[in-house]
Amino acid sequence: LEYISSVKNTNITHRHSCVSLTLHAHERVSLYCLAVKNKNGKKRGQLNNYLIPMAPRRSGITLAAAAATATVLSSASATPSVTVHVVPHTHDDVGWLKTVDQYYAGQNNSIQHAYVHMIIDTVIADLAKNSNRTFTYVEQAFFQRWWRQQNDETRDLTRKLVKNGQLSFTNGGWCMHDEAAAHYVDMIDQTTLGHKFLMEEFGFAPKTGWQLDPFGHSASQAALLSAEVGFTGLFFGRIDYQDLQRRRENKEAEFIWRASPSLGAAAQVFSGLTGEYGGNYGPPSGFTWEDRSNDETIQDDPSLMDYNVKSRVDDFVQAALSLANETRGSNVMFTMGSDFQWENAHEWFYNVDKIIQHVNEDGRIQALYSTPEMYVDAKAKEQSVKWPLKEDDFFPYADGAHQFWTGYFTSRPALKRYIRDSSSFLQVAKQLAVVGLDASVVTLLAGLETFQEAMGVAQHHDAVSGTAKQHVTFDYARRLARGQAETMQSLSTPLQTLAKTKATFEYCLLRNESLCGPTQADAADVEMVLWNGLGQERSELIELPIASPSKGLLGSDGGVFAVLDGEGKEVPVQRVPSPPAIGNYGEASGGSSETLLFKAEMPPLGFQTYRLVSKTGTETTQSRPKVATNGDATLENDFIKVGFSNGTMAIITDKAAGNVLSIVQSWLWYEGSTGNEQSSQASGAYIFRPTSSEAQPVFNGTPSLKFVSGDLADEVHQTFGDWVSQRIRLPKNSPFLEFTFTVGPIPVSDNKGKEIITRFSTNMTNQGECYTDSNGREMLYRKKDFRASWNFTQTEPVAGNYFPITTSVFIKSHDSGNSDAAAQLTLLTDAAQAGSGCVREGELEMMVHRDLLQDDGRGVGEPLNETQFVNPYVGSNQGQHYGPGLVIRGQHRLLFSATSAAAKAWRPMQDQLYMPVRPFFAKGEKVEVSSFSALSKALPANVQLLTLEPWNASATLLRLAHQFGKGEDSELSGTATVDLKDLFSGRSVEAVEEQGLAATIPRTEVLKRRVAWPVEGSDADVMTGSETLDKSSLKVTLTSLQIGTYLVKFAALSLEPTLIV
């Protein structure tokens, strides 16, 4: 007692009789002392509690140092030093262990007890009982399901609760989207879908982001999906364990996140950790009042046994002061809820009511019902607090030394690719709904709604991430298929209107398996409408599966085909071998063994028609595969030259710059760990942990190589053993190599899980540095074994240097003395993957497929072993996987160029890979219009059409995006201007309103919401951004990577097509 009374500021004197010493969690001691006399010498019966921190292990503080900074719990008469914002919430996964519908309806509880319908039901009912109560909800995929089932009385009550602030919404998207594998267009779309519902039903626009559970956090989430949406704050639970420890020790659990070098301070957002700042998002330990929880409830009736108000209040105060010691300012937030909690809202609210009441009566701290929005408002008022600054992202995430969550960047690659392909198809459908608008559009919009909601669900952080159970993965895919099918049924209407035909239109979903009925007929005669969804003209090769020859080499006994343009003139064609015609699980798909190539020229945001016909005679311009001797071949066009030796790539030359690079492509596999002496951690759906830093070849022999040359493209076809093959194509007049790979089924009969990579090994000197994209937008600097925010200790040399590659990765030269001076090697992918250019010097590697035999212990409860079948999760052999394994097909594009010219090539190509040309095949009637563009002229080369969709009865939603980052190109990174007044052909713009990124509030409101947060080491004059639209001229001005969102009102519609001459 003599020692403790010497502690600074404790005010423990001879007037106190200390009656109790209690050891608490977190190595703190509570000392209860009865004040015998006050300062005036009068008796006083106040019992005071002094909280003494006793050397927390995480910081290594000594007992003496802890005593010197001891936190004193003030007596009831003192002003509370901390205000606790109690935020009731639930985290409801939009599919994970169960499907989204099973979660909502409380079904399949043998897997997991969860019943979202009851959560929302009981929360609404209990909010209405006490006007002080609040609740925050997130996932609109669930809330709209509930809303559609309610009667008018319940809807009116819910609207009242929203209006008076009791029921609040944060994030507000259809789901809590993933931040690694999701494309930025899909992140925007799913957020917009949820926000539109909230605005239409409640007049509500969320002000905070709530990304509690995703496994790492992206720069795009902070800059675009927070600041540009109009969020004043962004909260999340998971960051790297090393970063987390440092932030807690340095009072940096909350900070300002300035994530975009291009958008700068104008797109910064206040950000904070949730839960107990321990990588979670639940209540403080001991304060979960769920039916299945054993935490102590509040018993405040003194006439009953086990009266516990004092101990419960003390625990609450202790938790509050612990948080306050790890952030800045006097406000802290308790996130009261977690996964699928609050099914019995009455029990929760009863206990939260009690703890708030008794904490406030105690007086040492203040507690109140709150929301994330209220919390950020309170933090903003603390203008004397200066906040630390964060400028990069939070990838990769690790929750332990051997536990890097980098495997899910690739997990379930077929689903990832299906979601990406569905995304661009959805954009085309929305474009056609606007461009071909007529009285029948209502039917199309109905299909679009189904499709949009399926895509919204697919962005969930256990969907596109690949971390759900397999039966849930099947459900995600089934929803996308249904949405696409319903949309396709109605797409003929706008196509008929634009093309002036009564033909019905068909789309071939399985062209990637060389299957397309309209083009594979022996006597083909089919018209194609090729839709270009980009805002610029494009010229590229189109692939059509055609009738295969009955025997022999290409062309022998096969039909002869021609392609005619809109004027009936033949265009050059080339016959090439198709990739293996196999299905998802290696079965023969019946696809064609031959593909016909032709080069199509298409106008911006429009179509060009072509006609495939059979003709008599002998084809004289066909390509025949040449089996190269000794595995040697050369691909060459005006841009690049690629040499092959012993069956593999050996050298690449950039002909424009004269740079030559030694390059070898390999197909390899890492063995997935099942645990070792260092750690029991296994590689699984979330975690990537190879047994060794060295990968093994998928095939130990020399790959077979066939060379195909022609007027349109040269190709090399390679096989690497029994389960990896690829086609490398160099189109004429194109600066890139296109790799189409087929991988699987991965053999695991040796009981070794395998993680399949393609690696490009070069002699480039990149000094361990590489650049990876953030959801397809900003390129972020990476370095081997390095994190910009803290002194990083590397424990997994491969997994710890892997990053999410949503679209792009590149390395560039640092050695000006070599022939690769000022050179850049860029790789683009058609679906999100794990990869890096920072694992080994001069190498790029991408993980394309995974098959693992052990669960990694992160909750999904099954190995990442994708097979054709899975048993039901009831009875015997629950969830057992069986049948053949998954085969995937994907595409990479490789560019080698001077660094100064690189972005000019790869940025537009990134858009082309996301938005492929969509061929629609007409049946039954002739197409009258040969060419159409919805634009009066092409968009500038650095601007892309991001969104064009029906918004409501009077407005169209338009988004334009600057596609170049700051400093990427000497010209194209500069400001871009677009005149909206005359942009659309056949349409006159009457009015334009600029909106926030989610389209439900004006841009002016987004700017008004922004807070000039005081930042450590930063200028006080923080930019707040500006509008991009000049309303008088209707001209839009965009800076690097800026996205403008507009509601456009058109005058009376003219559907006369613009003919392209």
Side-chain angles (χ1 to χ4, degrees):
L1 186 60
E2 183 177 282
Y3 166 76
I4 294 175
S5 66
S6 69
V7 175
K8 182 179 179 181
N9 295 328
T10 60
N11 296 323
I12 301 176
T13 71
H14 66 278
R15 295 190 299 269
H16 291 75
S17 173
C18 296
V19 296
S20 174
L21 191 68
T22 306
L23 179 65
H24 289 264
H26 310 298
E27 294 83 24
R28 285 173 167 81
V29 170
S30 281
L31 183 67
Y32 297 95
C33 299
L34 185 66
V36 181
K37 295 180 180 180
N38 64 16
K39 289 189 292 184
N40 298 321
K42 295 181 180 179
K43 291 184 179 179
R44 202 173 156 216
Q46 175 67 44
L47 186 66
N48 294 294
N49 174 217
Y50 300 91
L51 186 65
I52 311 297
M54 304 297 282
R57 281 192 297 268
R58 62 175 177 270
S59 60
I61 300 173
T62 65
L63 181 62
T69 58
T71 302
V72 181
L73 302 191
S74 305
S75 68
S77 60
T79 301
S81 60
V82 173
T83 298
V84 178
H85 292 251
V86 177
V87 178
H89 79 105
T90 178
H91 172 60
D92 299 338
D93 288 306
V94 183
W96 179 38
L97 308 182
K98 307 196 297 187
T99 69
V100 57
D101 285 347
Q102 289 171 348
Y103 273 134
Y104 177 74
Q107 296 175 315
N108 219 349
N109 282 342
S110 62
I111 300 177
Q112 179 187 15
H113 182 93
Y115 199 172
V116 175
H117 189 167
M118 289 301 104
I119 293 173
I120 303 175
D121 261 1
T122 61
V123 163
I124 297 298
D126 274 74
L127 281 175
K129 296 175 182 177
N130 184 338
S131 61
N132 291 323
R133 294 170 174 172
T134 63
F135 194 86
T136 297
Y137 199 75
V138 180
E139 296 87 1
Q140 299 311 304
F142 286 126
F143 198 83
Q144 62 80 28
R145 278 168 166 77
W146 178 84
W147 182 255
R148 291 169 181 173
Q149 297 175 350
Q150 303 312 302
N151 58 30
D152 290 342
E153 181 181 0
T154 304
R155 289 188 175 194
D156 288 343
L157 171 61
T158 306
R159 289 190 180 101
K160 178 182 177 182
L161 293 171
V162 173
K163 185 177 180 180
N164 67 22
Q166 288 185 257
L167 178 61
S168 184
F169 299 96
T170 185
N171 239 22
W174 213 243
C175 67
M176 187 181 292
H177 56 225
D178 180 58
E179 299 184 39
H183 193 274
Y184 75 97
V185 170
D186 299 330
M187 296 164 78
I188 294 170
D189 274 0
Q190 79 87 20
T191 301
T192 301
L193 185 63
H195 282 216
K196 186 178 183 183
F197 167 78
L198 291 174
M199 181 57 68
E200 289 177 346
E201 296 295 346
F202 304 107
F204 186 93
K207 289 188 176 181
T208 51
W210 198 250
Q211 290 289 109
L212 303 185
D213 198 24
F215 326 124
H217 304 283
S218 74
S220 295
Q221 178 62 41
L224 290 183
L225 279 303
S226 297
E228 292 295 280
V229 169
F231 291 167
T232 57
L234 170 64
F235 298 95
F236 42 85
R238 301 180 188 272
I239 65 171
D240 185 277
Y241 74 105
Q242 295 180 39
D243 191 16
L244 178 64
Q245 178 179 349
R246 180 193 66 84
R247 288 185 177 278
R248 296 180 73 175
E249 291 174 359
N250 297 330
K251 297 175 71 74
E252 294 185 5
E254 294 173 314
F255 47 91
I256 304 303
W257 192 1
R258 191 178 295 168
S260 170
S262 296
L263 300 178
Q268 69 185 22
V269 64
F270 177 85
S271 303
L273 306 181
T274 54
E276 296 178 280
Y277 302 159
N280 60 75
Y281 45 85
S285 178
F287 290 91
T288 297
W289 292 301
E290 194 69 16
D291 283 345
R292 295 169 299 282
S293 170
N294 294 321
D295 286 358
E296 194 176 353
T297 58
I298 311 300
Q299 205 294 85
D300 62 351
D301 185 345
S303 68
L304 303 179
M305 298 295 289
D306 301 318
Y307 180 84
N308 64 357
V309 169
K310 181 61 181 173
S311 63
R312 294 272 65 196
V313 168
D314 287 343
D315 289 343
F316 191 95
V317 172
Q318 175 188 325
L321 292 177
S322 178
L323 286 190
N325 196 45
E326 295 172 352
T327 187
R328 304 180 188 188
S330 60
N331 291 274
V332 297
M333 177 170 59
F334 280 4
T335 45
M336 301 297 287
S338 193
D339 292 7
F340 300 102
Q341 291 185 352
W342 287 79
E343 188 176 316
N344 182 351
H346 181 73
E347 181 178 351
W348 269 101
F349 277 126
Y350 176 87
N351 284 281
V352 175
D353 288 347
K354 294 289 187 181
I355 194 65
I356 289 176
Q357 172 193 341
H358 293 297
V359 164
N360 288 332
E361 289 174 353
D362 176 84
R364 291 172 287 172
I365 65 172
Q366 181 184 9
L368 72 156
Y369 274 112
S370 188
T371 65
E373 178 184 335
M374 293 168 60
Y375 179 65
V376 175
D377 288 345
K379 301 296 279 192
K381 292 175 182 177
E382 299 184 274
Q383 283 294 304
S384 62
V385 178
K386 281 189 171 290
W387 299 99
L389 183 66
K390 165 78 173 177
E391 289 187 313
D392 53 343
D393 66 354
F394 287 94
F395 286 117
Y397 162 61
D399 58 1
H402 302 284
Q403 301 160 2
F404 284 87
W405 297 46
T406 53
Y408 83 93
F409 301 159
T410 291
S411 294
R412 304 198 184 278
L415 179 66
K416 282 179 165 65
R417 189 162 284 105
Y418 189 25
I419 291 172
R420 181 69 57 84
D421 184 71
S422 297
S423 172
S424 62
F425 191 91
L426 175 60
Q427 305 312 316
V428 168
K430 292 189 294 186
Q431 292 170 357
L432 285 168
V434 171
V435 174
L437 191 67
D438 69 359
S440 302
V441 77
V442 174
T443 306
L444 176 55
L445 293 180
L448 275 177
E449 184 177 15
T450 302
F451 200 2
Q452 287 175 303
E453 291 182 6
M455 279 296 296
V457 167
Q459 305 316 310
H460 172 59
H461 59 268
D462 287 305
V464 67
S465 62
T467 55
K469 284 185 178 293
Q470 185 159 336
H471 78 108
V472 180
T473 301
F474 289 157
D475 183 71
Y476 290 137
R478 183 165 49 245
R479 291 174 185 279
L480 292 173
R482 185 179 67 182
Q484 190 172 42
E486 289 186 15
T487 300
M488 188 60 221
Q489 288 174 4
S490 304
L491 278 185
S492 283
T493 300
L495 289 170
Q496 289 167 345
T497 301
L498 296 172
K500 290 190 174 181
T501 180
K502 294 182 180 179
T504 57
F505 286 88
E506 181 178 345
Y507 182 77
C508 295
L509 292 169
L510 297 178
R511 280 195 310 132
N512 68 328
E513 293 184 15
S514 302
L515 280 169
C516 184
T519 66
Q520 286 179 275
D522 288 332
D525 188 350
V526 59
E527 286 191 281
M528 296 165 280
V529 170
L530 304 184
W531 183 265
N532 171 25
L534 299 181
Q536 292 83 22
E537 299 92 346
R538 62 199 294 184
S539 172
E540 57 190 78
L541 295 181
I542 305 298
E543 299 185 25
L544 300 175
I546 54 175
S548 299
S550 58
K551 61 183 179 181
L553 295 175
L554 273 172
S556 63
D557 296 334
V560 179
F561 296 92
V563 174
L564 312 178
D565 65 15
E567 297 178 355
K569 298 178 182 178
E570 284 196 36
V571 299
V573 297
Q574 180 179 345
R575 297 175 75 147
V576 296
S578 301
I582 55 177
N584 290 342
Y585 301 98
E587 73 280 11
S589 67
S592 175
S593 62
E594 287 190 3
T595 293
L596 191 73
L597 302 181
F598 73 96
K599 191 171 187 178
E601 310 283 344
M602 289 149 290
L605 190 62
F607 66 77
Q608 186 74 34
T609 59
Y610 289 89
R611 184 180 173 196
L612 174 68
V613 296
S614 302
K615 66 177 187 178
T616 59
T618 303
E619 188 169 15
T620 58
T621 59
Q622 57 188 322
S623 298
R624 296 178 180 272
K626 300 175 183 178
V627 180
T629 58
N630 300 320
D632 295 341
T634 299
L635 302 180
E636 184 173 8
N637 65 14
D638 292 340
F639 295 91
I640 55 177
K641 180 179 180 181
V642 184
F644 290 77
S645 179
N646 294 319
T648 61
M649 286 181 66
I651 193 168
I652 186 169
T653 302
D654 171 16
K655 298 172 76 171
N659 288 330
V660 179
L661 188 70
S662 296
I663 183 169
V664 176
Q665 186 205 16
S666 308
W667 283 95
L668 308 159
W669 60 277
Y670 291 108
E671 181 180 351
S673 176
T674 57
N676 59 15
E677 65 280 356
Q678 287 182 309
S679 170
S680 61
Q681 180 62 56
S683 205
Y686 303 86
I687 307 294
F688 170 41
R689 188 178 181 227
T691 58
S692 169
S693 297
E694 298 301 319
Q696 305 175 51
V698 300
F699 178 62
N700 288 316
T702 300
S704 68
L705 183 149
K706 292 183 179 180
F707 175 64
V708 179
S709 63
D711 295 335
L712 300 179
D714 291 343
E715 296 182 352
V716 163
H717 293 246
Q718 296 172 295
T719 57
F720 301 79
D722 296 331
W723 51 279
V724 175
S725 63
Q726 71 179 2
R727 178 192 69 201
I728 306 175
R729 173 182 290 165
L730 179 63
K732 304 296 183 183
N733 302 315
S734 294
F736 64 90
L737 279 175
E738 179 185 275
F739 295 75
T740 300
F741 50 85
T742 306
V743 178
I746 299 173
V748 291
S749 58
D750 57 359
N751 292 319
K752 293 181 179 180
K754 297 178 177 64
E755 327 230 17
I756 315 305
I757 66 166
T758 181
R759 178 186 292 166
F760 296 89
S761 303
T762 76
N763 63 341
M764 182 178 285
T765 304
N766 66 310
Q767 296 182 0
E769 298 175 347
C770 65
Y771 295 78
T772 68
D773 70 297
S774 177
N775 308 106
R777 291 302 285 169
E778 196 92 51
M779 297 301 293
L780 301 181
Y781 171 79
R782 313 292 192 184
K783 187 173 182 178
K784 182 177 181 179
D785 300 338
F786 173 79
R787 303 292 186 266
S789 299
W790 77 95
N791 292 324
F792 174 63
T793 300
Q794 182 64 274
T795 51
E796 288 286 335
V798 179
N801 284 306
Y802 261 38
F803 303 94
I805 315 295
T806 316
T807 63
S808 319
V809 57
F810 65 78
I811 57 176
K812 55 186 181 181
S813 167
H814 276 269
D815 189 347
S816 59
N818 289 345
S819 61
D820 62 343
Q824 179 170 313
L825 188 67
T826 306
L827 186 143
L828 307 179
T829 177
D830 66 339
Q833 292 171 349
S836 184
C838 302
V839 176
R840 296 169 182 82
E841 186 69 7
E843 292 186 351
L844 287 173
E845 69 178 55
M846 300 285 283
M847 184 188 293
V848 303
H849 200 356
R850 319 177 71 210
D851 194 335
L852 300 162
L853 304 179
Q854 186 168 318
D855 178 53
D856 57 12
R858 291 308 182 275
V860 74
E862 64 183 38
L864 185 70
N865 173 223
E866 294 191 83
T867 58
Q868 187 169 6
F869 307 107
V870 58
N871 279 338
Y873 289 82
V874 293
S876 58
N877 299 319
Q878 293 186 21
Q880 180 181 359
H881 295 197
Y882 63 99
L886 181 70
V887 178
I888 59 103
R889 177 165 291 157
Q891 190 177 113
H892 290 154
R893 291 187 180 182
L894 190 71
L895 297 92
F896 178 56
S897 59
T899 302
S900 60
K904 188 175 183 178
W906 74 259
R907 276 290 187 185
M909 195 175 301
Q910 184 185 50
D911 295 329
Q912 293 166 14
L913 198 54
Y914 167 74
M915 181 67 76
V917 174
R918 297 289 178 173
F920 298 97
F921 301 96
K923 296 191 300 182
E925 298 283 345
K926 181 176 174 56
V927 173
E928 298 294 334
V929 177
S930 62
S931 187
F932 165 80
S933 176
L935 302 182
S936 59
K937 60 181 178 180
L939 291 174
N942 53 356
V943 175
Q944 196 47 264
L945 178 75
L946 209 64
T947 305
L948 185 68
E949 68 174 271
W951 184 250
N952 55 35
S954 61
T956 296
L957 176 60
L958 169 69
R959 288 192 185 95
L960 298 175
H962 195 301
Q963 294 299 84
F964 283 74
K966 183 178 180 180
E968 286 182 350
D969 186 87
S970 59
E971 295 182 4
L972 295 175
S973 291
T975 299
T977 301
V978 178
D979 188 344
L980 298 184
K981 183 170 55 179
D982 300 317
L983 178 61
F984 296 94
S985 61
R987 295 191 175 205
S988 175
V989 174
E990 283 191 347
V992 181
E993 296 293 335
E994 185 171 6
Q995 301 293 103
L997 188 64
T1000 60
I1001 59 174
R1003 171 73 172 171
T1004 52
E1005 173 64 20
V1006 171
L1007 299 177
K1008 181 180 177 182
R1009 289 181 178 185
R1010 290 184 174 169
V1011 177
W1013 297 95
V1015 177
E1016 286 181 336
S1018 180
D1019 294 337
D1021 183 20
V1022 177
M1023 293 172 56
T1024 58
S1026 61
E1027 295 180 78
T1028 66
L1029 173 69
D1030 183 332
K1031 297 193 74 169
S1032 61
S1033 66
L1034 296 186
K1035 289 184 178 179
V1036 167
T1037 302
L1038 300 172
T1039 59
S1040 294
L1041 290 184
Q1042 190 172 26
I1043 298 175
T1045 303
Y1046 316 95
L1047 292 181
V1048 180
K1049 183 178 180 181
F1050 291 110
L1053 178 64
S1054 167
L1055 282 175
E1056 287 299 319
T1058 298
L1059 297 180
I1060 308 298
V1061 180

